[in-house]
Amino acid sequence: MNAERLTFMFVDRIRIHAKAGDGGDGCVSFRREKFVPRGGPNGGDGGKGGDIIFRTDVHTDNLVAFYYQPLLKSVRGEHGMGKNMYGKAGKDAVYKVPAGTLVYRIPDQILELPATDADLDKPPPKPVISPADCQLVADLFQENQELILCRGGAGGKGNTHFKSSTNRAPRQFTEGEAGEEGYFLLELRKIADVGLVGYPNAGKSTLISKVSAAHPKVAPYPFTTLNPVVGVVEFEGYKRATVADIPGLIEGAHQNVGLGHDFLRHIVRCKLLVFVLDTAGSEGRNPIADLGSLRRELDLYDPTLSQRPWIIAANKMDLPGAEENLAIIRSRFPDKMVVPMAAAEGTGIDGFKSALQTLLEF
Ligand SMILES: Nc1nc2c(ncn2[C@@H]2O[C@H](COP(=O)(O)OP(=O)(O)OP(=O)(O)O)[C@@H](O)[C@H]2O)c(=O)[nH]1
Ligand SMILES: [Mg+2]
């Protein structure tokens, strides 16, 4: 696998296997001391196994770490020892996940399905198993949110516990319990306030690079952006909003045309959608028709998306034909906010930021 692949790999759905540490066994031991004949039992308890914990982290932006390490483990508890010494508890294993990670338990019946549908040299593999067949365990959407995915097993009891008036030299003990184990599907739904939706080459990446410090690649060919990118827009008074640049969508995406529908789940949680249009229709496109098919694709993906507040970013206003199309769009959607801009030149960006500020109700 080459270095470039490593840098750019983005994983937003992955299957993992987690096994928490077993508890340590209890110990059988007797007190042995000079001049103390027949000292009683003194076998200590085993330690608890470590838990497997997920914690959301701002600096983690996708699930790629689990692609390289799909088996999560924590340390087992140590066995109990003589002289009533407890075994040491196993350390918890804390794994960082991006905020917006959904954790599903994969039922045993469908475990046999292959883990992924592609081999290592193809683009990021997706598990064949769908979340619809699994059981949701948690939605980790807040910062520093924690989930104990698998609990470590409890430690076993040493023979001290089995002492009684009739059995003063017990040889019983209990074994440590097994740590919890399971197969899980992790799915990322990026958390952003605003989602940019548009046809390839409409200028979404150009726009996000003008309003935030995020700089996804901008290029004059379709499907430049292959993964969602989130940028932070700062407003006066230290207010901020997150904006997601979603890969280009085309008609028929729900039938897997272009990049398909898959990444649309990243906008399901956006409060506001921005349709970015090539207002000039510079590549023989018609911005009004584009808007119609974009909205239709969203509706086919998730009907609740059509209820979401939306505005239009009328981009490429510097090109011929844009003014005429802008007038048509305005007359077609009289009660919608339409922000004209030429993102590449940086014009209309302030207007866009203040539109966001108004609509996000800062
Ligand atoms: N004339 C003009 N060109 C623009 C404008 N904004 C972006 N472009 C150009 O349009 C092309 C595509 O821009 P991107 O920002 O990469 O478009 P995108 O929507 O992110 O495209 P994908 O990632 O492929 O979906 C680039 O060559 C940009 O320089 C604009 O306001 N005016
Ligand atoms: Mg792009």
Side-chain angles (χ1 to χ4, degrees):
M1 195 171 288
N2 59 32
E4 191 174 311
R5 176 79 196 285
L6 285 178
T7 332
F8 294 115
M9 194 151 82
F10 177 92
V11 175
D12 56 2
R13 192 183 277 175
I14 190 119
R15 189 183 95 153
I16 56 157
H17 176 196
K19 166 81 179 80
D22 298 335
D25 297 340
C27 167
V28 175
S29 160
F30 295 95
R31 191 171 157 210
R32 295 170 73 89
E33 248 173 85
K34 221 173 177 184
F35 312 120
V36 185
R38 278 176 279 172
N42 69 354
D45 297 344
K48 179 185 165 298
D51 296 336
I52 294 181
I53 296 174
F54 277 162
R55 184 181 297 145
T56 55
D57 170 58
V58 242
H59 302 294
T60 306
D61 90 319
N62 76 77
L63 299 166
V64 69
F66 301 102
Y67 175 76
Y68 294 106
Q69 198 190 0
L71 173 61
L72 320 188
K73 282 193 281 194
S74 55
V75 182
R76 66 165 303 145
E78 285 179 9
H79 298 314
M81 286 160 288
K83 296 190 184 169
N84 283 324
M85 286 192 288
Y86 287 87
K88 220 168 122 190
K91 205 165 174 276
D92 295 339
V94 180
Y95 291 88
K96 291 175 184 169
V97 295
T101 302
L102 295 156
V103 183
Y104 297 90
R105 180 182 290 279
I106 303 176
D108 293 342
Q109 313 86 277
I110 59 169
L111 258 184
E112 290 76 37
L113 288 175
T116 58
D117 61 357
D119 57 50
L120 288 185
D121 292 327
K122 297 214 182 106
K126 306 265 183 215
V128 171
I129 295 170
S130 134
D133 304 324
C134 304
Q135 176 200 344
L136 182 66
V137 178
D139 179 358
L140 304 173
F141 62 93
Q142 283 164 332
E143 264 325 311
N144 290 319
Q145 193 177 344
E146 276 197 1
L147 165 74
I148 300 180
L149 186 69
C150 288
R151 280 181 197 279
K157 290 185 167 31
N159 65 342
T160 321
H161 291 276
F162 298 93
K163 182 169 70 175
S164 67
S165 55
T166 51
N167 186 0
R168 286 153 74 181
R171 299 204 149 263
Q172 294 104 307
F173 70 102
T174 56
E175 287 178 1
E177 284 175 11
E180 288 176 350
E181 181 173 8
Y183 287 83
F184 299 90
L185 185 69
L186 307 183
E187 185 186 74
L188 177 61
R189 288 187 189 172
K190 288 249 179 206
I191 308 285
D193 300 312
V194 181
L196 304 183
V197 186
Y199 265 76
N201 274 349
K204 303 175 293 297
S205 302
T206 311
L207 176 57
I208 203 170
S209 69
K210 296 286 172 178
V211 293
S212 75
H215 286 287
K217 189 170 167 188
V218 170
Y221 52 80
F223 302 118
T224 311
T225 308
L226 296 172
N227 309 310
V229 175
V230 177
V232 178
V233 185
E234 292 182 345
F235 301 99
E236 275 170 31
Y238 301 103
K239 285 175 184 147
R240 38 189 13 222
T242 44
V243 178
D245 173 13
I246 307 293
L249 191 64
I250 59 176
E251 197 173 350
H254 67 283
Q255 291 162 330
N256 246 351
V257 178
L259 296 175
H261 251 172
D262 209 33
F263 49 80
L264 272 183
R265 68 169 172 279
H266 295 291
I267 59 168
V268 170
R269 309 205 219 213
C270 294
K271 293 178 203 142
L272 174 70
L273 302 179
V274 176
F275 291 101
V276 183
L277 301 179
D278 175 346
T279 319
S282 61
E283 289 163 25
R285 313 201 54 84
N286 177 341
I288 297 107
D290 284 356
L291 180 60
S293 25
L294 289 169
R295 295 192 60 216
R296 210 161 27 249
E297 288 302 327
L298 293 198
D299 194 46
L300 286 168
Y301 177 73
D302 178 350
T304 65
L305 280 176
S306 47
Q307 318 298 320
R308 208 62 55 89
W310 57 277
I311 61 168
I312 297 167
N315 192 30
K316 305 205 183 179
M317 287 305 298
D318 55 312
L319 296 179
E323 287 298 342
E324 292 84 333
N325 285 335
L326 178 66
I328 300 175
I329 294 169
R330 285 209 155 119
S331 64
R332 201 67 72 79
F333 300 98
D335 50 355
K336 279 288 161 198
M337 190 181 275
V338 181
V339 189
M341 62 176 70
E345 296 174 350
T347 48
I349 299 299
D350 289 341
F352 178 67
K353 280 179 77 171
S354 55
L356 294 190
Q357 208 164 357
T358 318
L359 289 160
L360 293 170
E361 290 168 358
F362 285 160

